[in-house]
């Protein structure tokens, strides 16, 4: 299955049997992000958390309180 990264528009290939490929086929709202962009966003998020100015906003559901 051919996929396109939503951040950098890089075209990649996923095996047709992969769970991510099935998710993308069956639920069009889900998007694909390449591993380079995923790593970059993860690093930047961790850097923002380390500054102390980043607050995780969670809902008020009871299941979130246990988290």
């Amino acid at each position: 299955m051919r996929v396109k990264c939503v951040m950098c528009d890089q075209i990649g290939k996923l095996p047709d049997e992969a769970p991510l490929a099935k998710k993308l086929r069956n639920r069009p709202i889900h998007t694909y992000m390449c591993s380079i962009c995923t790593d970059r966003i993860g690093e930047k998020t961790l850097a923002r958390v380390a500054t102390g100015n980043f607050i995780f906003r969670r809902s008020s559901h009871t299941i979130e309180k246990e988290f």
Side-chain angles (χ1 to χ4, degrees), residues 1 13-25:
M1 174 180 193
K13 195 160 179 80
L14 287 176
D16 287 334
E17 300 84 22
L20 180 59
K22 183 178 178 183
K23 185 189 293 186
L24 292 171
R25 268 193 311 272

Side-chain angles (χ1 to χ4, degrees), residues 3-13 32 34-37:
V3 290
K4 186 175 184 181
C5 179
V6 295
M7 299 292 287
C8 65
D9 294 333
Q10 178 182 4
I11 296 177
K13 195 160 179 80
Y32 171 77
C34 65
S35 61
I36 296 168
C37 291

Side-chain angles (χ1 to χ4, degrees), residues 35-64:
S35 61
I36 296 168
C37 291
T38 303
D39 294 341
R40 186 178 71 231
I41 289 174
E43 290 171 5
K44 290 186 181 227
T45 302
L46 291 177
R48 286 191 324 212
V49 169
T51 63
N53 295 330
F54 185 78
I55 300 172
F56 283 107
R57 304 283 183 194
R58 295 196 175 106
S59 64
S60 62
H61 298 292
T62 57
I63 202 164
E64 294 290 334

